[in-house]
């Protein structure tokens, strides 16, 4: 059995029902909007985020979830989907998971409005049901994601990013959403308890490991949908590159910064930068930090009794760093 199927097994029924509820949550009176949301639903990814919600809730509540858990999973998926639609517009990206993006098929104006609609649906799902604690969690995550994106854009212009700033960017941009998933799962069954913050921290560590793994893909050959060196072309300062800069001589450092700033579309130069980062131990360093975050997350789970849900969460943490794409 594939790892993804093993992770999903203890929550299979919940995920099947969730998919129906999620589809319903996107319904509209506008035929064009329904066509687009149908397109989105039928090209869904692995659905890691709702799985984190259900596994956390079942771990903490003797295998039982409730309607708040389903709403929490729907809200996070609506917000996540909205952010992807908006990201594709900002990045001028015409493919998403091997399919045409919304902006590629329906242009930017419609894509932005669809993203806005999904955000509004997510907010209203919480408000209409009085889930104000869940709304606070997801609103905080949305604020942090926006701040992280802007911080990254600001630093990309100057290329003056430190390792500490890098961790702050990936915490806000990526880890905060996975942290919100786990926090929502806990809050849905154990509101106003220490579990909400504990599992926020657990999800945050998973998210940090997840993003560093993404950084490593930029230096490999086997990532589907993302050509090697794309982060360098976009002037994104990832952990392997930051480590290479920190350990480089003044001369090499100037060459690296100049390459990323002024020659990032030169394929030969990008390959030279990738080779330099590899030779300087940047990949090994990033992998070491990724495994550190992974171990911290796994250690947090040892405080809970063994169960299919704990095992699935452990598999999920390992999958984050072992995945091939």
């Amino acid at each position: 059995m594939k790892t993804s199927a093993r992770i999903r097994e203890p929550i299979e029924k919940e995920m099947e029902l969730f998919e129906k509820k999620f589809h319903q949550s996107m319904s509209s009176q506008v035929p064009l909007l329904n066509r687009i949301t149908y397109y989105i639903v039928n090209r869904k990814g692995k659905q890691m985020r709702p799985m984190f919600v259900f596994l956390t809730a079942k771990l903490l509540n003797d295998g039982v979830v409730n309607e708040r858990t389903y709403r929490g999973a729907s809200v996070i998926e609506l917000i996540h989907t909205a952010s992807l639609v908006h990201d594709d517009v900002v990045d001028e990206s015409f493919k998403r998971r091997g399919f045409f993006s919304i902006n590629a098929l329906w242009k930017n104006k419609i894509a932005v409005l669809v993203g806005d609609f999904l955000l509004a649906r997510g907010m209203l799902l919480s408000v209409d049901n009085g889930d104000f604690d869940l709304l606070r969690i997801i609103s905080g995550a949305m604020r942090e994601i926006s701040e992280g994106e802007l911080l990254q854009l600001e630093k990309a212009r100057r290329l003056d990013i430190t390792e500490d700033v890098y961790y702050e960017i990936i915490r806000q941009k990526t880890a905060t959403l996975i942290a919100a998933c786990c926090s929502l799962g806990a809050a849905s069954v154990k509101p106003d308890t220490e579990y909400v913050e504990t599992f926020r921290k657990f999800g945050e560590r998973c998210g940090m490991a997840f993003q560093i793994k993404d950084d490593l893909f930029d230096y490999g050959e086997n990532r589907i949908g993302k050509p090697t060196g794309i982060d360098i072309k976009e002037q994104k300062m990832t952990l392997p590159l930051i480590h290479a800069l920190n350990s480089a001589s003044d001369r090499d450092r100037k060459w690296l910064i100049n390459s990323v700033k002024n020659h990032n579309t030169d394929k030969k130069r990008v390959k030279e930068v990738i080779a330099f980062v590899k030779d300087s131990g940047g990949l090994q360093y990033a992998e070491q930090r990724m495994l550190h975050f992974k171990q911290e997350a796994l250690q947090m789970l040892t405080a809970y009794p063994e169960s299919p849900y704990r095992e699935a969460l452990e598999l999920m943490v390992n999958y984050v760093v072992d995945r091939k794409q």
Side-chain angles (χ1 to χ4, degrees), residues 57-309:
K58 293 189 90 170
L59 174 74
L60 294 175
N61 203 39
D62 298 322
V64 178
V65 300
N66 56 35
E67 283 301 315
R68 271 166 54 88
T69 315
Y70 284 103
R71 290 197 295 271
S74 292
V75 167
I76 203 79
E77 197 68 347
L78 283 164
I79 301 304
H80 175 59
T81 305
S83 71
L84 295 182
V85 172
H86 282 161
D87 281 352
D88 287 339
V89 174
V90 171
D91 297 338
E92 297 179 345
S93 175
F94 299 122
K95 285 287 183 79
R96 168 70 61 182
R97 300 190 190 108
F99 296 97
F100 286 114
S101 59
I102 303 304
N103 50 303
L105 293 173
W106 285 282
K107 307 303 178 191
N108 284 349
K109 187 173 183 179
I110 288 176
V112 169
L113 292 170
V114 168
D116 291 347
F117 169 79
L118 295 172
L119 283 172
R121 290 297 293 173
M123 297 295 98
L124 284 170
L125 188 60
S126 295
V127 172
D128 290 347
N129 290 281
D131 297 328
F132 299 112
D133 56 336
L134 305 188
L135 183 59
R136 188 175 294 110
I137 291 168
I138 195 61
S139 298
M142 287 169 63
R143 186 200 73 228
E144 293 228 68
I145 290 165
S146 301
E147 287 177 350
E149 289 283 2
L150 288 166
L151 179 59
Q152 184 175 59
L153 286 169
E154 179 192 1
K155 293 298 179 181
R157 287 177 186 164
R158 300 184 199 164
L159 297 188
D160 62 348
I161 185 169
T162 63
E163 195 169 325
D164 285 343
V165 171
Y166 163 82
Y167 290 132
E168 183 60 14
I169 287 170
I170 68 166
R171 185 192 68 76
Q172 290 185 312
K173 265 192 65 184
T174 303
T176 194
L177 197 62
I178 296 176
C181 295
C182 300
S183 195
L184 283 169
S188 71
V189 293
K190 301 285 183 184
D192 304 317
T193 65
E194 73 278 5
Y195 296 118
V196 179
E197 175 60 15
T198 298
F199 276 86
R200 185 198 66 78
K201 290 176 180 174
F202 165 76
E204 188 172 275
R205 281 150 180 79
C206 291
M208 299 291 278
F210 183 94
Q211 185 56 54
I212 296 173
K213 179 68 172 183
D214 253 19
D215 289 357
L216 287 165
F217 279 135
D218 202 46
Y219 294 86
E221 303 296 330
N222 61 351
R223 178 148 196 204
I224 296 169
K226 180 181 176 183
T228 304
I230 197 73
D231 286 340
I232 295 167
K233 288 168 191 166
E234 293 177 359
Q235 298 187 26
K236 287 181 182 172
M237 298 292 283
T238 59
L239 188 54
L241 181 57
I242 291 166
H243 179 77
L245 279 166
N246 288 343
S247 55
S249 65
D250 286 345
R251 183 185 168 194
D252 287 339
R253 185 182 171 85
K254 283 175 185 173
W255 175 82
L256 273 172
I257 290 173
N258 184 41
S259 298
V260 175
K261 212 167 194 175
N262 303 314
H263 303 280
N264 51 61
T265 57
D266 181 336
K267 289 183 180 178
K268 182 173 177 287
R269 192 74 167 254
V270 168
K271 280 185 179 177
E272 288 172 356
V273 170
I274 289 171
F276 185 92
V277 171
K278 287 180 176 178
D279 292 342
S280 67
L283 302 195
Q284 292 94 321
Y285 181 77
E287 190 168 331
Q288 177 191 330
R289 296 302 299 154
M290 175 185 73
L291 293 174
H292 169 77
F293 287 116
K294 172 190 132 174
Q295 281 307 126
E296 282 193 337
L298 288 173
Q299 184 60 38
M300 292 178 78
L301 291 175
T302 61
Y304 301 89
E306 287 188 16
S307 69
Y309 320 112

